[in-house]
């Protein structure tokens, strides 16, 4: 056999420039042309553009070196190109390209050429290792040596030979002005003598992190610096000894070892070893890690990657790509047929940032106790047994396994109510909520993050005024719940009376036991009957002015961010499951609207599509790609129900009976940036209507097709689905019951009739399918914007459990670079003006409008966009509202508008703090108006808390 060692092909494939983006295909018959290809990462770290001719030339050389006809190179090169284009990545390593070329040569039947090519590659790899070893022996640091201490406690001289290699790896494909030497000098800052190796790592990473405010690309750079250390910890790889080009091989060879170790220390279930691990490992590709920014990879490192804590150790044994593949394996381990194929499909969604499961799923998938659900909704009855068993004991078990809690406490009798068993008088609901608050602190989700819960109270409960003050920082601490969220559960009748400036009557819930279970006209009729009974002295009642109670609600949500404003009637009147129960509250983050009862704790399983990963080059939706993503995601979410570990029986009963899931979306703001559309525009509102309709169509279709394959959920008969009512149809029902116009345009762009017929014939696999969760944490991990929120600031300091992070808007930086305005002066002004552009004269008005931040966007754009989405969603959304100035009139109009357009729920009210960015190094003068000075002096003008429980 002839081996390939000719000088002609010495650089075979070293110069291939390949770049590919996923094949953009619409749901129409004609496919649009391919987009630009990903760029090629050469072995020296250089990133080069795609040149299609180079593949063919390189393949021809392989054939000619073996003295074969080179004509097959045309087809092989084309097949290679198409496969690369299907990977949905921005960059690709040269080793991965060579793997694909090798596969295509073999697939075409040219086995002798392929065999020779494999031998050639192995020889070249050995030559590179020898060359690297010689380089290491001759290395002399321009910065000298540092006295350090190795892992065994022995002193040695650290020369920093790893740093240039980390810098080359970290800056590939990035637009950084600084030279490597300058960056290395920055990374070495504060490195003193007698420092441990682990401390050297910390200093280098923190110094890389400090560069982020210079340029948004440094967020990716710092993330990659951290990545190199993660690889060394988890894989046993060494950047000096092994080189970057061996990373993929270390991943593929180390995957089984990682799983076996994780099983041995009881961190992964034993049945995970039953997969075809070689097949799965062959698809591992660390090049996808290059998309992690620093916030994302640091969050993943701190809280998600599996850690070996045996024998006093604290070692990450899970690399990021191991993590994504482990989660996918855990979700398809009971899938019939070719389950490895489904695992790889979901893994591809994860690694290419098209979809991400919620935090509990990421924490626990594939583990011995796979509690994968995000949200639990419960109802407390008016008995001590229910309060202690359901409200404390069961909630503690749910919280232990990373579930976020939301529950109705309305049925618990109010202060002064008679207790028949003891002939005593009730202290009301507040002392029990205090107990629940302390339980959430004590059971901190397995030691990974704080326990999280939200208590809901309906607006006619006689403890409502005390409930509104639970989060205040003044008053009796025994009647305060600083660690528990609260939410108003407001019936439409209250809103109508408030707008009409009429009275409102408070009741003791034990005297009006059916009121909490009624909604719409039935509620209004019964409420009026109870008012008449109170007027006659037959039951207790307290009359207040509805407007005064509304003002108190707004005052408290402004001062404390709580209780949130949610609306009872839209949640029930538009619920697909109105035939089998009542929605008595939402969940922790206000996006879940499921029935609860004495025997059912509602459960929802969440995941989110990354919207900005589903746009074509012209900014339009890639509907075929979106449909593919949704169909895989819905199947994965549905699987959670069957493989889930249920901490309580009521949770299992509810989840298996109704099979609800909550697929959401994130990356709206990033998608608008990519489209060049301002958030505060009618075009953006129309886009919200468009993308939500498409997502809803494909999601409901996917659930129906699953029903045809696996069967409908057990309570499907009688549901709105079975009655031919889809979510968009129920707006008219809400309008009719409310007796007031719902100010939302009806209709959409798609033909829904085929799907209606499909559901009528096949049924639905899931009682509920869509819900938009906050996604703060998983948005960090996947490098996109949170859920459906506008950009908070263009530059700001963010804090979470992983520390403090500087966030710089990469889209703004790119646009400013394009017009030559990303200068030290402009950067310092953006920093000084708290990420706002309004007062920076150099920046064009067009960019100021496009990069308007959350507190500058008129609230009607946020609310109207939410209403357009809500039209298509069978559950609800975590809709944060933003108030830039302390104005109670604006606040009232904002929430009244949210009610009038038919929103089911709202979430946090975000108010603006005086400053978020350290300005000590900025030489910019800023003058304050009297209004700004007054605003800054108001203690209540602060940032809202970040909720992470169901993301």
């Amino acid at each position: 056999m002839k081996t390939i060692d000719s000088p002609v092909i010495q650089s075979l494939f070293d110069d291939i420039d390949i770049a590919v983006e996923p094949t953009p295909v619409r749901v129409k018959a004609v496919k649009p042309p391919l987009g630009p290809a990903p760029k090629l990462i050469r072995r020296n770290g250089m990133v080069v553009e795609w040149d299609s001719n180079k593949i063919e030339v390189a393949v021809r050389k392989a054939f000619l070196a073996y003295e074969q006809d080179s004509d097959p190179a045309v087809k092989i090169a084309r097949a290679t190109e198409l496969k690369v284009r299907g990977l949905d990545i921005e960059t690709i390593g040269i080793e991965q390209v060579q793997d694909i070329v090798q596969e295509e040569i073999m697939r075409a039947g040219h086995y002798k050429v392929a065999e020779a090519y494999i031998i050639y590659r192995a020889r070249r790899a050995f030559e590179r290792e020898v060359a690297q070893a010689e380089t290491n022996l001759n290395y002399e640091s321009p910065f000298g040596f540092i006295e350090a201490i190795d892992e065994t406690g022995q002193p040695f001289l650290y020369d920093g030979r790893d740093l240039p290699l980390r810098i080359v790896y970290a800056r590939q494909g990035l637009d950084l002005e600084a030279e490597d030497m300058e960056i290395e000098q920055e990374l070495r800052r504060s490195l003193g003598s007698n420092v441990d190796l682990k401390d050297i790592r910390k200093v280098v990473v923190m110094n890389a992190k400090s560069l982020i405010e210079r340029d948004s690309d440094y967020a990716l750079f710092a993330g990659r610096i951290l990545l190199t250390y993660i690889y060394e910890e988890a894989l046993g790889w060494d950047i000096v000894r092994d080189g970057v080009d061996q990373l993929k091989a270390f991943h593929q060879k180390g995957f089984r070892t990682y799983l076996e170790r994780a099983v041995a220390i009881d961190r992964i279930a034993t049945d995970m070893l039953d997969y075809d691990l070689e097949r799965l490992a062959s698809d591992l590709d660390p090049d996808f890690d290059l998309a992690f920014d620093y916030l994302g990879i640091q969050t993943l490192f701190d809280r998600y990657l599996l850690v070996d804590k045996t024998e006093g150790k604290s070692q990450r044994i899970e690399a990021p790509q191991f993590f994504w593949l482990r989660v996918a394996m855990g979700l398809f381990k009971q899938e019939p047929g070719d389950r490895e194929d489904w695992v790889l499909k979901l893994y591809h969604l994860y690694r290419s940032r098209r979809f991400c499961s919620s935090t509990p799923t990421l924490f626990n998938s594939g583990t011995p106790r796979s509690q994968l659900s995000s949200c639990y909704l419960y109802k407390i009855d008016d008995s001590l047994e229910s309060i202690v068993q359901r409200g404390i004991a069961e909630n503690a078990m749910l919280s232990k396994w990373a579930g976020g809690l939301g529950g109705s406490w309305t049925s618990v009798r109010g202060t002064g109510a008679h207790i028949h068993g003891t002939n005593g008088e009730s202290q009301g609901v507040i002392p029990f909520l205090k107990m629940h608050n302390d339980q959430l602190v004590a059971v901190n989700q397995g030691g990974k993050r704080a326990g999280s819960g939200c208590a809901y109270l309906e607006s006619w409960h006689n403890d409502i005024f005390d409930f509104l003050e639970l989060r205040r920082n003044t008053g009796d601490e025994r009647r305060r719940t600083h660690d528990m969220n609260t939410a108003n559960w407001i019936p439409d009748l209250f809103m109508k009376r408030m707008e009409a400036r009429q009275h409102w009557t408070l009741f003791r819930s034990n005297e009006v036991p059916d009121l909490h279970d009624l909604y719409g006209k039935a509620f209004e009729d019964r409420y009026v009957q109870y008012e008449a009974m109170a007027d006659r002295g037959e039951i207790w009642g307290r009359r207040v002015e509805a407007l005064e109670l509304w003002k108190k609600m707004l005052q408290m949500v402004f001062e404390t961010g709580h209780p949130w404003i949610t609306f009872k009637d839209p949640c029930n009147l538009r619920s697909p499951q109105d035939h089998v129960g009542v929605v008595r509250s939402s969940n922790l983050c206000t996006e879940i609207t499921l029935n609860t009862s004495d025997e059912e704790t509602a459960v929802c399983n969440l995941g989110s599509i990354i919207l900005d990963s589903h746009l074509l080059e012209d900014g339009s939706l890639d509907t075929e790609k979106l449909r593919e993503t949704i169909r895989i995601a819905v199947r994965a979410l549905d699987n959670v129900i069957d493989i889930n570990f249920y901490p309580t029986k009521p949770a299992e009963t509810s989840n298996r009976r109704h099979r609800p899931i909550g697929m959401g979306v994130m990356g709206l703001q990033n998608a608008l940036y990519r489209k060049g559309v301002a958030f505060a525009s009618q075009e953006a509102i129309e886009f919200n209507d468009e993308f939500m309709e498409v997502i809803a169509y494909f999601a409901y279709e996917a659930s129906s097709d699953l029903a045809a394959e696996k069967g409908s959920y057990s309570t499907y008969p009688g549901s709105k689905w079975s009655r031919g009512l889809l979510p968009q149809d129920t707006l008219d029902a809400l309008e009719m019951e409310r007796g007031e116009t719902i100010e939302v345009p009806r209709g959409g762009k798609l033909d829904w009739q085929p799907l209606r017929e499909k559901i009528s014939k096949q049924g639905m696999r899931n009682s509920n399918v869509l819900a938009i969760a906050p996604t703060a944490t998983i948005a960090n991990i996947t490098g996109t914007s949170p859920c459906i929120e506008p950009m908070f600031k263009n530059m700001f300091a963010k804090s979470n459990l992983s520390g403090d992070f500087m966030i710089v808007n990469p889209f703004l930086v790119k646009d400013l670079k394009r017009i030559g305005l990303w200068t030290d002066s402009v950067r310092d002004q953006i920093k000084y003006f708290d990420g706002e552009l309004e007062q920076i004269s150099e920046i064009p008005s067009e960019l100021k409008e496009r990069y308007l931040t959350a507190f500058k966007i008129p609230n009607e754009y946020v609310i109207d966009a939410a209403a357009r989405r809500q039209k298509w969603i069978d559950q609800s959304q975590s809709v944060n509202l933003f108030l830039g100035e302390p104005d109670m009139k604006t606040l009232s109009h904002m929430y009244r508008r949210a009610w009038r357009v038919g929103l089911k729920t709202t979430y946090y009210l975000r108010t603006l703090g005086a400053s978020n960015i350290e300005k000590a190094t900025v030489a910019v003068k800023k003058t304050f108006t009297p209004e700004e000075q007054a605003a800054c002096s108001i203690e209540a003008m602060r940032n809202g808390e970040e909720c992470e429980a169901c993301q």
Side-chain angles (χ1 to χ4, degrees):
M1 183 187 71
K2 185 177 179 62
T3 59
I4 304 180
D5 54 8
S6 168
V8 176
I9 56 169
Q10 183 67 26
S11 59
L12 181 63
F13 293 103
D14 285 358
D15 294 324
I16 298 177
D17 304 351
I18 297 195
V20 191
E21 292 218 348
T23 306
V25 184
R26 302 178 187 268
V27 174
K28 299 178 181 178
V30 179
K31 295 184 178 181
L34 290 169
K39 297 178 180 179
L40 177 75
I41 305 167
R42 299 182 65 182
R43 288 192 178 88
N44 62 2
M46 183 183 299
V47 178
V48 294
E49 296 293 334
W50 160 256
D51 182 346
S52 57
N53 293 325
K54 287 193 174 182
I55 290 183
E56 181 183 339
V57 171
V59 176
R60 284 187 184 277
K61 288 180 180 179
F63 276 85
L64 293 172
Y66 195 68
E67 299 178 355
Q68 293 274 328
D69 178 12
S70 66
D71 287 347
V74 177
K75 289 185 177 180
I76 291 172
R78 180 57 178 166
T80 300
E81 178 183 343
L82 290 174
K83 187 166 185 178
V84 171
R85 285 178 178 270
L87 294 178
D88 193 19
I89 53 178
E90 294 182 359
T91 58
I92 185 169
I94 192 168
E95 286 290 339
Q96 187 178 2
V97 175
Q98 290 187 345
D99 288 344
I100 294 171
V101 170
Q102 183 174 306
E103 292 172 4
E104 294 303 326
I105 293 174
M106 295 182 68
R107 184 174 285 112
H110 303 286
Y111 300 109
K112 292 296 184 180
V113 175
E115 182 181 4
Y117 177 50
I118 292 169
I119 295 173
Y120 165 76
R121 288 185 65 189
R123 182 177 60 77
R124 290 289 292 131
F126 174 76
E127 291 171 354
R128 286 193 297 271
E129 290 180 10
V130 172
Q132 182 67 54
E134 292 175 352
T135 300
N136 293 340
L137 289 173
N138 299 325
Y139 180 80
E140 292 185 13
S141 170
F143 297 97
F145 296 91
I146 296 173
E147 295 180 6
I149 301 172
D150 66 18
E151 295 90 341
T152 66
Q154 298 300 312
F156 77 105
L157 294 177
Y158 173 71
D159 58 13
R161 68 180 61 200
D162 60 309
L163 293 181
L165 300 175
R166 297 186 200 278
I167 291 169
V168 169
Y169 170 77
R171 72 176 301 159
Q172 54 187 292
L174 303 181
D175 183 18
L176 305 178
E177 293 184 358
E179 299 293 333
D180 288 6
M181 192 72 72
E182 179 185 348
I183 294 176
E184 183 175 353
Q185 189 170 12
E186 288 293 326
L187 298 186
R188 285 173 169 269
R189 280 190 301 109
S190 303
L191 280 179
S193 298
N194 297 315
V195 61
D196 288 343
L197 269 178
K198 62 180 181 180
D199 292 326
I200 291 176
R201 163 190 161 161
K202 290 179 181 177
V203 170
V204 170
V205 171
M206 294 305 295
N207 285 339
K209 172 186 172 183
S210 71
L211 299 172
I212 293 175
E213 69 178 59
R214 293 188 184 182
D215 190 317
S216 57
D217 271 7
Y218 277 111
L220 291 167
F221 175 85
R224 294 170 186 179
I225 292 291
L226 177 55
L227 264 172
T228 61
Y229 290 114
I230 294 175
Y231 294 149
E232 290 177 336
E233 181 176 353
L235 300 173
W237 167 84
D238 185 277
I239 195 167
V240 175
R241 180 194 66 214
D242 303 307
V244 172
D245 61 322
Q246 289 298 305
L247 268 177
K248 185 174 182 179
F250 268 79
H251 276 77
Q252 294 178 348
K253 293 175 183 177
F255 185 62
R256 177 182 287 276
T257 302
Y258 139 75
L259 283 178
E260 290 173 344
R261 178 57 183 165
V263 168
I265 62 175
D266 198 32
R267 296 307 307 134
I268 284 181
T270 56
D271 58 2
M272 295 279 278
L273 296 176
D274 297 337
Y275 277 102
D276 182 347
L277 298 182
E278 282 67 34
R279 177 181 174 187
L280 297 180
S282 67
D283 219 39
L284 286 165
D285 188 355
D287 284 348
F288 287 91
D289 291 341
L290 294 173
F292 280 114
D293 63 12
Y294 179 74
L295 172 58
I297 193 60
Q298 183 69 63
T299 302
L300 198 70
F301 174 79
D302 285 341
R303 298 160 59 189
Y304 292 84
L305 301 181
L306 293 182
V307 182
D308 183 353
K309 294 185 178 180
T310 61
E311 302 174 356
K313 291 184 294 188
S314 182
Q315 178 189 356
R316 269 75 181 172
I317 60 173
E318 191 170 58
Q321 292 303 313
F322 288 179
F323 161 76
W324 290 128
L325 186 51
R326 182 259 299 175
V327 175
M329 291 166 64
L331 292 178
F332 282 103
K333 61 183 181 179
Q334 293 184 9
E335 189 73 25
D338 188 354
R339 59 180 187 163
E340 283 83 5
D341 183 59
W342 283 108
V343 166
L344 293 177
K345 287 178 179 178
L346 181 59
Y347 168 62
H348 290 169
L349 294 189
Y350 286 151
R351 73 181 189 181
S352 57
R353 288 159 174 77
R354 290 166 60 177
F355 171 78
C356 189
S357 298
S358 65
T359 283
T361 302
L362 300 181
F363 276 167
N364 298 321
S365 181
T367 66
R369 297 165 191 84
S370 54
Q371 194 301 106
L372 311 177
S373 296
S374 304
C375 305
Y376 295 91
L377 286 73
Y378 61 90
K379 170 186 176 288
I380 302 299
D381 293 327
D382 185 32
S383 69
L384 187 59
E385 291 79 8
S386 178
I387 293 170
V388 173
Q389 179 62 32
R390 180 66 62 88
I392 305 301
E394 289 186 7
N395 278 350
M397 295 303 298
L398 297 173
S399 183
K400 173 182 178 180
W401 296 105
L405 309 177
S408 166
W409 292 75
T410 298
S411 294
V412 178
R413 69 190 65 191
T415 303
H418 182 239
I419 304 174
H420 293 284
T422 62
N423 200 32
E425 187 175 285
S426 173
Q427 298 183 74
V429 71
I430 303 301
F432 296 114
L433 291 176
K434 175 65 173 174
M435 291 172 58
H436 181 42
N437 176 88
D438 295 342
Q439 169 251 312
L440 290 171
V441 175
V443 184
N444 64 342
Q445 301 201 356
K448 293 184 177 180
R449 56 181 182 177
S452 301
C454 181
Y456 286 75
L457 200 71
E458 200 158 343
S459 305
W460 48 260
H461 195 286
N462 70 302
D463 284 341
I464 186 65
F465 282 96
D466 289 334
F467 179 79
L468 294 176
E469 297 195 338
L470 281 173
R471 295 282 298 220
R472 293 196 86 169
N473 290 323
T474 58
D476 186 350
E477 280 297 304
R478 293 169 297 181
R479 299 179 69 81
R480 295 291 178 265
T481 58
H482 301 299
D483 305 286
M484 181 188 73
N485 301 301
T486 57
N488 290 294
W489 193 238
I490 302 175
D492 278 356
L493 181 60
F494 172 81
M495 296 300 294
K496 289 191 283 188
R497 288 195 176 183
M498 179 272 295
E499 297 222 324
R501 304 301 189 261
Q502 295 174 346
H503 69 268
W504 183 249
T505 304
L506 307 181
F507 299 107
R508 291 170 177 163
S509 55
N510 63 313
E511 295 182 334
V512 291
D514 59 340
L515 206 54
H516 188 37
D517 296 337
L518 299 174
Y519 52 87
K521 291 180 179 178
F523 173 88
E524 295 191 11
D525 293 343
R526 190 61 168 151
Y527 186 88
V528 172
Q529 291 177 13
Y530 280 130
E531 283 188 312
M533 292 172 65
D535 289 342
R536 296 193 298 268
E538 298 172 9
I539 60 174
W540 184 92
R542 175 189 169 193
R543 183 161 292 179
V544 299
E545 292 300 317
L547 181 61
E548 293 307 310
L549 178 55
W550 178 247
K551 288 180 179 178
K552 186 67 173 179
M553 290 178 179
L554 297 180
Q555 178 191 352
M556 289 298 98
V557 78
F558 176 75
E559 288 187 12
T560 71
H562 294 83
W564 302 323
I565 305 294
T566 64
F567 303 109
K568 171 184 180 177
D569 289 270
C571 292
N572 278 283
L573 289 166
R574 301 193 62 199
S575 169
Q577 291 292 94
D578 58 346
H579 65 308
V580 290
V582 178
V583 181
R584 295 180 173 88
S585 73
S586 187
N587 67 315
L588 172 65
C589 301
T590 77
E591 82 277 13
I592 303 303
T593 53
L594 300 175
N595 302 340
T596 54
S597 68
D598 297 342
E599 64 175 13
E600 289 187 3
T601 294
V603 185
C604 206
N605 318 298
L606 303 180
S608 296
I609 294 164
I610 302 171
L611 185 62
D612 52 302
S613 296
H614 293 85
L615 298 181
L616 297 171
E617 283 301 302
D618 63 0
S620 61
L621 287 172
D622 188 339
T623 50
E624 183 164 310
K625 182 178 179 182
L626 196 53
R627 183 174 187 265
E628 179 188 49
T629 297
I630 289 170
R631 294 181 72 82
I632 298 169
V634 167
R635 182 180 288 265
L637 290 171
D638 181 70
N639 283 350
V640 168
I641 298 163
D642 297 314
I643 64 179
N644 205 33
F645 167 77
Y646 292 98
T648 69
K649 186 62 177 178
E652 182 176 11
T653 298
S654 177
N655 217 26
R656 293 191 184 277
R657 183 176 292 170
H658 311 299
R659 307 188 67 85
I661 60 175
M663 190 178 68
V665 65
M666 55 183 170
L668 169 60
Q669 178 65 92
N670 280 8
L672 290 173
Y673 286 148
R674 292 187 186 279
K675 289 172 68 67
V677 173
F679 200 108
S681 68
Q682 186 61 35
E683 186 177 354
I685 292 174
E686 298 297 335
F687 178 63
N688 276 270
D689 204 331
E690 176 191 2
F691 81 72
M692 201 68 243
E693 180 184 11
V694 172
I695 289 174
Y697 190 102
F698 291 148
Y700 301 149
E701 178 193 46
S703 182
S704 183
D705 287 343
L706 267 183
E709 177 184 339
K710 299 183 177 183
S712 292
Y713 68 97
S714 64
T715 55
Y716 170 77
S719 66
K720 279 190 171 73
W721 303 110
S722 72
R723 289 158 20 215
L725 292 172
L726 300 185
Q728 63 267 33
D729 304 327
T730 62
L731 270 175
D732 291 337
L734 174 62
E735 185 174 86
M736 182 176 66
E737 289 276 329
R738 182 178 287 182
E740 297 191 12
T741 302
I742 305 297
E743 302 170 2
V744 178
R746 306 301 201 267
K749 296 182 177 181
L750 301 180
D751 178 8
W752 284 76
Q753 188 56 36
L755 180 55
R756 293 179 186 275
E757 294 172 359
K758 176 177 283 192
I759 293 173
S760 177
K761 178 181 179 181
Q762 300 179 169
M764 290 287 286
R765 180 67 172 169
N766 314 98
S767 65
N768 299 76
V769 182
L770 295 179
I772 299 181
T775 75
T777 308
I778 61 172
N780 291 341
I781 293 173
T782 56
T784 192
S785 52
C787 57
I788 33 76
E789 289 191 6
M791 175 63 77
F792 179 73
K793 292 288 187 69
N794 288 304
M795 185 184 291
F796 67 100
K798 178 185 179 71
S799 298
N800 65 18
L801 293 179
S802 293
D804 298 327
F805 301 86
M806 178 64 72
I807 306 297
V808 182
N809 187 339
F811 295 93
L812 173 62
V813 173
K814 183 178 180 180
D815 276 347
L816 290 177
K817 283 183 175 180
R818 177 173 51 81
I819 58 176
L821 277 182
W822 185 244
T823 62
D824 290 344
S825 172
V826 169
R827 180 173 62 243
D828 284 348
Q829 289 184 77
I830 294 173
K831 185 177 180 183
Y832 201 86
F833 291 118
D834 299 325
E836 302 291 353
L837 309 183
E838 187 178 11
Q839 300 182 59
I840 304 174
S841 59
E842 296 95 323
I843 295 179
S845 58
E846 176 192 354
L847 293 187
K848 289 181 179 179
E849 180 182 353
R850 184 182 307 166
Y851 292 103
L852 212 59
T853 59
F855 295 101
K856 299 295 183 180
I857 293 173
N859 65 76
E860 55 264 27
Y861 288 102
V862 175
I863 294 169
D864 290 355
R868 295 293 190 94
R869 295 189 301 269
Q870 188 65 74
K871 176 172 57 174
W872 306 106
I873 300 173
D874 58 352
Q875 294 197 70
S876 190
Q877 321 166 67
S878 297
V879 181
N880 286 328
L881 298 179
F882 301 86
L883 187 69
E885 298 179 0
D887 185 341
M888 294 301 288
K889 183 177 180 180
T890 299
L891 189 62
S892 180
H893 287 175
M894 186 161 58
Y895 281 108
R896 288 164 64 192
R897 186 185 189 94
W899 175 71
R900 284 198 299 271
V901 298
L903 292 193
K904 295 181 179 181
T905 60
T906 64
Y907 193 31
Y908 277 104
L909 173 69
R910 305 290 195 186
T911 50
L912 187 59
S915 177
N916 292 304
I917 306 176
E918 175 59 49
K919 304 180 180 67
T921 62
V922 182
V924 177
K925 300 292 184 181
K926 180 179 180 181
T927 59
F928 293 88
T929 67
E931 290 78 13
E932 287 175 323
Q933 291 175 344
C936 291
S937 68
I938 298 176
E939 181 180 357
M941 297 294 284
R942 59 171 181 78
N943 296 318
E945 303 169 34
E946 179 182 284
C947 168
E948 298 183 346
C950 63
Q951 301 154 36

